């Protein structure tokens, strides 16, 4: 397929902000790639399925070098154009347009296959000379591209196509392309089916292929491949929790760690994923060891919380301390000693070739009781009581808080496991819960004492189609000194690495840093695209375990207001 066909779709998508129009454009595109379902990754701005987090490893600097080399100009010129246009993709378009015209270089058409092939090669290249080789592959593509194609190649490499396609729109487009629903009710049923299939497969190419053949039910859970975790709404009181999950119910400690899915695949390999589908196996060798020694089963998928504790006092620490380990690539052994974790198992979705999604929670708990050999400060089952008595829950709730945990989870005993869904099969109960997980989309340089740091951050929630909606700015909660915790300096380092555009004192960044933001209340705000603003927002912590798809949705915010 000509890459220009894909670029035509990008262009159309870029030209509209309307969700329905985007869905239509994408559905037409999908009709054309039925034989090549992997091209769906290209409209996601990716090269692999969502569960696959291999990275291209190309920084802004490298892309600048590649554009300069392809266009035969100095890097300085590219940097200046980038500053002017605020988009390296557009800078590539300008330079390559000029060179091509000069050299009359329009021979062969660039194919989408070649774009995928070359970009996928970038992932494999390592070791000495890797940088040059990587640049070489990008230059090769840029030289075979038209100016417009060059723009989108550069944006793909940087992981930001700027075409406003989120997973919700892609899902809807699959529905339109494959099922052609007759009416709204029919559409709802199809959307649900495609969403459920995606939550199991976490791969739009597979879902699209199956949907084309009307065989979504054939999508199987495969241990070793991450799936979307089940999510939990909030209960406002113990009574409310019982109302949602029924009586009797199970109540468990809500541990203050981070979610991991521990997988053992058919070949016996253990893999650990975060809820953002990130593979963190390397960062947590002790989880692999303990899963091998203390969990029986040829293959499984377990839903767990990794909770940090102080190696000296044995007391649980909060999430913030242990969260540093999630993104760490080096010094893993030292980290393991200084910030140990205990693995708390609270659910299971697969065991020995059996999909347990439809099995009741009570049964699933019995299974984990059988297969897990508990060992203090290594691996335990979530502490649990089963009761109908509010007083008993209250006592347990206090105990959880005294034990430095966040609160309780109330769970419906008869409920199945629903990957990806936030339905009331279980609820969370925490004392003070006015915080949202939001993503940073931009930032502003500080002045005076704070000059040199990015000190004010634009924050967004997620819209109904996966798009990002602004909900204002936050500038408090960070420290000035790095030793005191999350500091302006640390945040500035992180944001500069993912800068997409710079204009005066403001920069735009790739939406990937998720933070928990506490606030006093929510107000209506016509100036923010979400329609809301947070009063007295304050950054609580970074959430490296969460991706942009896990952030608070507009629906949840609306619900919060009506409560
Ligand atoms: P929240 O992060 O506030 O949305 O609360 C839900 C999170 O609590 C889940 O994603 C888990 O990471 C965590 N959690 C801690 N303990 C449990 C438990 N016993 N059952 C389920 N989730 C738990």
């Amino acid at each position: 397929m000509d890459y220009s066909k894909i670029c035509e779709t990008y262009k159309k998508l870029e030209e509209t902000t309307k969700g329905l129009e985007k869905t239509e454009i994408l559905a037409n595109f999908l009709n054309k790639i039925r034989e090549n379902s992997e091209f769906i990754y290209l409209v996601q701005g990716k090269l692999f399925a969502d569960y696959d987090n291999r990275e291209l490893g190309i920084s802004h600097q490298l892309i600048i070098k590649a554009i300069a080399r392809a266009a035969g100009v100095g890097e300085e010129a590219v940097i200046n154009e980038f500053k002017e246009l605020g988009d390296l993709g557009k800078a590539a378009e300008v330079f390559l347009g000029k060179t091509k015209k000069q050299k009359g270089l329009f021979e062969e058409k660039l194919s989408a296959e070649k774009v995928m092939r070359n970009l996928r090669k970038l992932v494999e290249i390592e070791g000495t000379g890797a940088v040059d080789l990587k640049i070489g592959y990008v230059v090769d593509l840029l030289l075979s591209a038209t100016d417009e194609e060059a723009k989108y190649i550069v944006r793909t490499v940087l992981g930001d196509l700027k075409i406003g396609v989120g997973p919700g729109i892609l899902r809807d487009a699959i529905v339109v392309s494959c099922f052609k629903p007759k009416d709204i009710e029919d559409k709802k049923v199809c959307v649900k089916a495609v969403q459920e299939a995606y939550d199991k497969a976490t791969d739009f190419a597979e879902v699209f292929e199956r949907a084309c053949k009307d065989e979504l039910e054939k999508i199987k859970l495969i241990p070793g491949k991450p799936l979307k975790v089940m999510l939990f709404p909030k209960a406002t009181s113990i009574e409310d929790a019982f109302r949602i999950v029924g009586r009797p119910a199970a109540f468990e400690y809500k541990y203050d760690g981070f979610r991991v899915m521990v997988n053992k695949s058919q070949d016996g390999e253990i893999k650990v994923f975060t809820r953002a589908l990130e593979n963190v196996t390397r960062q947590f060798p002790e989880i692999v060891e303990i899963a091998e020694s203390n969990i029986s089963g040829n293959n499984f998928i377990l839903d767990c919380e990794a909770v940090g504790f102080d190696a000296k006092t044995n007391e649980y620490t909060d999430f913030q301390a242990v969260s540093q380990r999630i993104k760490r690539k080096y010094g893993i052994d030292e980290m393991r000693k200084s910030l140990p974790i205990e693995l708390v198992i609270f659910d299971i979705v697969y065991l020995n070739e059996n999909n347990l999604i439809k099995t009741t929670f009570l049964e699933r708990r019995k299974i984990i009781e059988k297969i897990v050999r508990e060992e203090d400060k290594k691996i335990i089952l979530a502490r649990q009581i089963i009761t109908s008595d509010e007083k008993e829950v209250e006592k347990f709730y206090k105990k959880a808080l005294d034990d430095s945990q966040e609160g309780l989870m109330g769970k419906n005993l008869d409920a199945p496991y629903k990957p990806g869904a936030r339905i009331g099969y279980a609820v969370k109960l925490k004392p003070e819960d006015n915080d949202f997980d939001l993503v940073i989309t931009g930032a502003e340089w500080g002045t005076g004492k704070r000059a040199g740091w990015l000190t004010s951050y634009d924050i967004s929630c997620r819209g109904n189609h996966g798009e990002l909606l602004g909900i204002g700015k936050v500038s408090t909660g960070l420290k000035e000194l790095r030793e005191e915790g999350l500091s302006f300096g640390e945040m500035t380092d992180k944001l500069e690495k993912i800068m997409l555009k710079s204009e005066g004192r403001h920069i735009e960044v790739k939406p990937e840093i998720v933070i928990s933001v506490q606030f006093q209340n929510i107000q209506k705000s016509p100036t923010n695209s979400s329609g809301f603003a947070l009063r007295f927002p304050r950054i609580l912590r970074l959430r490296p375990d969460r991706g942009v798809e896990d952030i608070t949705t507009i629906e949840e915010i609306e619900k919060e207001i009506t409560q």
Side-chain angles (χ1 to χ4, degrees):
M1 182 178 204
D2 288 345
Y3 186 57
S4 61
K5 289 259 174 329
I6 297 187
C7 294
E8 267 168 35
T9 307
Y10 290 154
K11 193 157 177 244
K12 283 188 205 150
L13 288 164
E14 216 177 329
E15 280 164 5
T16 174
T17 50
K18 297 200 178 83
L20 278 179
E21 282 176 18
K22 283 186 191 281
T23 308
E24 225 24 71
I25 297 165
L26 269 176
N28 283 334
F29 172 70
L30 293 181
N31 292 341
K32 292 183 202 134
I33 61 159
R34 286 183 178 239
E35 304 305 316
N36 275 310
S37 59
E38 285 203 330
F39 290 157
I40 204 167
Y41 303 144
L42 288 176
V43 286
Q44 290 185 275
K46 296 185 169 197
L47 296 155
F48 303 103
D50 291 339
Y51 66 80
D52 186 334
N53 359 84
R54 280 177 284 174
E55 283 178 8
L56 301 188
I58 297 265
S59 63
H60 263 72
Q61 278 72 22
L62 287 196
I63 267 290
I64 289 169
K65 279 191 182 12
I67 299 172
R69 205 184 288 174
V73 297
E75 286 171 35
E76 208 46 43
V78 180
I79 293 169
N80 288 339
E81 197 70 36
F82 170 44
K83 280 196 184 142
E84 179 82 24
L85 297 170
D87 173 2
L88 270 176
K90 282 192 185 154
E93 188 174 27
V94 169
F95 282 112
L96 286 145
K98 282 185 200 154
T99 359
K100 296 268 163 79
K101 271 187 210 106
Q102 277 164 14
K103 296 192 181 158
L105 269 176
F106 287 104
E107 345 61 53
E108 235 177 278
K109 281 203 154 183
L110 177 61
S111 71
E113 285 83 354
K114 176 165 174 180
V115 173
M116 277 200 114
R117 210 178 326 118
N118 270 30
L119 295 185
R120 279 179 167 177
K121 277 194 191 132
L122 301 180
V123 179
E124 297 155 17
I125 304 170
E126 275 176 16
T128 39
V131 170
D132 253 358
L133 263 177
K134 284 188 180 200
I135 295 178
Y137 278 114
V138 180
V139 170
D140 178 35
L141 284 181
L142 293 180
L143 285 176
S144 348
T146 64
D147 40 0
E148 184 171 67
E149 288 167 352
K151 173 172 83 180
Y152 291 115
I153 289 169
V154 165
R155 287 185 181 173
T156 305
V157 173
L158 292 174
D160 182 30
L161 273 176
K162 302 183 193 295
I163 56 172
V165 171
I169 292 182
L170 208 46
R171 174 201 61 204
D172 293 355
I174 292 178
V175 168
V176 174
S177 165
C178 304
F179 299 112
K180 304 188 176 50
K182 295 187 288 296
D183 50 36
I184 290 194
E185 275 318 300
D186 192 20
K187 186 172 171 202
K188 266 194 203 151
V189 174
C190 297
V191 164
K192 189 162 169 271
V194 172
Q195 183 67 47
E196 281 181 10
Y198 172 76
D199 291 335
K200 275 195 259 173
T202 54
D203 177 355
F204 273 115
E206 183 182 356
V207 172
F208 175 51
E209 234 170 79
R210 295 285 190 188
C212 285
K213 296 184 196 146
D214 197 12
E215 52 182 37
L216 284 176
E217 71 292 346
K218 286 203 180 152
I219 290 183
K220 299 267 179 286
L221 279 186
I222 301 176
K225 195 174 137 190
L227 77 157
K228 288 291 218 184
V229 296
M230 177 155 73
L231 302 167
F232 312 108
K234 200 173 81 179
T236 49
S237 62
I238 295 173
E239 195 190 347
D240 188 41
F242 271 121
R243 188 183 56 74
I244 302 170
V245 298
R247 243 178 245 259
F251 284 86
E252 293 178 359
Y253 272 24
K254 182 180 189 313
Y255 293 88
D256 186 15
F258 62 96
R259 187 112 175 229
V260 286
M261 293 293 259
V262 179
N263 284 240
K264 184 175 184 180
S265 48
Q266 310 284 359
D267 61 5
E269 188 185 351
I270 306 278
K271 285 190 194 154
V272 186
F273 299 103
T274 64
R275 54 180 279 178
L277 313 180
E278 203 172 339
N279 187 335
V280 290
T281 316
R282 244 170 48 86
Q283 288 92 310
F284 294 96
E286 69 266 52
I287 297 187
V288 176
E289 287 162 21
I290 201 78
E292 271 165 357
S293 60
N294 289 44
I295 307 173
S296 53
N298 296 332
N299 44 69
F300 49 72
I301 305 175
L302 288 162
D303 203 351
C304 322
E305 189 83 352
V307 195
F309 63 93
D310 187 312
K312 289 198 195 92
T313 63
N314 253 3
E315 277 183 23
Y316 287 118
T317 55
D318 68 359
F319 163 79
Q320 194 60 44
V322 73
S323 71
Q324 306 168 39
R325 290 191 57 184
I326 298 172
K327 303 262 171 197
R328 271 297 269 261
K329 303 250 154 68
Y330 310 100
I332 286 167
D333 279 342
E334 290 93 79
M335 285 295 250
R336 168 183 183 171
K337 281 190 203 112
S338 59
L339 294 168
I341 55 117
E342 181 177 52
L343 188 66
V344 182
I345 318 277
F346 59 78
D347 215 329
I348 183 164
V349 282
Y350 193 94
L351 178 68
N352 296 342
E353 279 82 42
N354 287 315
N355 179 339
L356 302 173
I357 281 184
K358 296 213 169 99
T359 309
T360 65
F361 175 64
L362 192 64
E363 285 302 316
R364 298 201 305 275
R365 169 78 187 198
K366 281 189 189 145
I367 294 172
I368 49 179
E369 282 170 5
K370 264 193 222 134
I371 65 165
V372 176
R373 184 166 57 82
E374 292 185 277
E375 217 178 312
D376 197 32
K377 289 294 175 291
K378 285 195 169 161
I379 184 168
I380 58 165
L381 263 55
R383 293 191 63 174
Q384 187 195 71
I385 57 168
I386 293 181
T387 182
S388 298
D389 181 4
E390 281 173 33
K391 290 236 159 57
E392 212 181 318
V393 179
E394 189 142 356
K395 259 204 310 209
F396 196 54
Y397 192 4
K398 285 213 180 84
K399 214 157 145 205
L401 296 176
D402 287 346
D403 264 350
S404 312
Q405 300 307 335
E406 273 189 306
L408 293 183
M409 301 292 302
K411 300 189 174 181
N412 180 327
L413 296 173
D414 300 321
Y417 190 98
K418 266 256 174 215
R422 191 185 297 277
I423 33 180
Y425 291 160
V427 289
K428 51 192 182 194
L429 200 55
K430 346 190 225 183
E432 175 231 341
D433 198 20
N434 46 353
D435 60 88
F436 290 149
D437 289 335
L438 302 165
V439 72
I440 301 182
T441 52
E444 209 160 289
W445 292 105
T447 50
K449 212 168 85 176
R450 294 184 174 177
W453 289 329
L454 291 158
T455 50
S456 162
Y457 314 106
D458 306 338
I459 40 179
S460 290
C461 61
R462 244 181 52 166
N464 291 329
H465 299 285
E467 74 281 21
L468 295 178
L469 301 172
I471 189 163
K473 293 178 191 297
V474 55
S475 51
T476 48
L478 299 195
K479 309 280 191 275
E480 296 200 339
L481 298 175
R482 286 186 189 242
E483 309 78 78
E484 289 177 350
L486 181 61
S487 62
F488 290 114
E490 185 183 342
M491 189 64 108
T492 304
D493 292 347
K494 284 185 191 305
L495 291 170
E496 277 196 296
K497 282 198 195 110
I498 52 168
M499 183 173 78
L500 295 172
K501 198 171 168 178
S502 167
E503 229 180 300
R505 284 184 36 224
H506 187 265
I507 67 163
E508 201 180 289
V509 296
K510 204 166 147 191
E512 59 181 36
I513 297 182
V514 178
I515 48 174
S516 291
V517 180
Q518 193 181 49
F519 55 91
Q520 203 160 74
N521 55 307
I522 309 166
Q523 292 173 316
K524 291 235 158 84
S525 157
T527 47
N528 292 332
S529 53
S530 64
F532 299 110
L534 303 178
R535 255 192 106 207
F536 302 122
R538 191 172 158 271
I539 298 178
L540 285 182
R541 44 165 80 155
L542 289 169
R543 295 285 341 193
D545 56 328
R546 298 193 180 184
V548 60
E549 277 152 36
D550 297 312
I551 61 175
T552 303
T553 60
I554 190 81
E555 211 179 312
E556 289 168 277
I557 294 173
E558 280 160 358
K559 224 185 253 165
E560 192 82 22
I561 289 180
T562 51
Q563 260 174 16

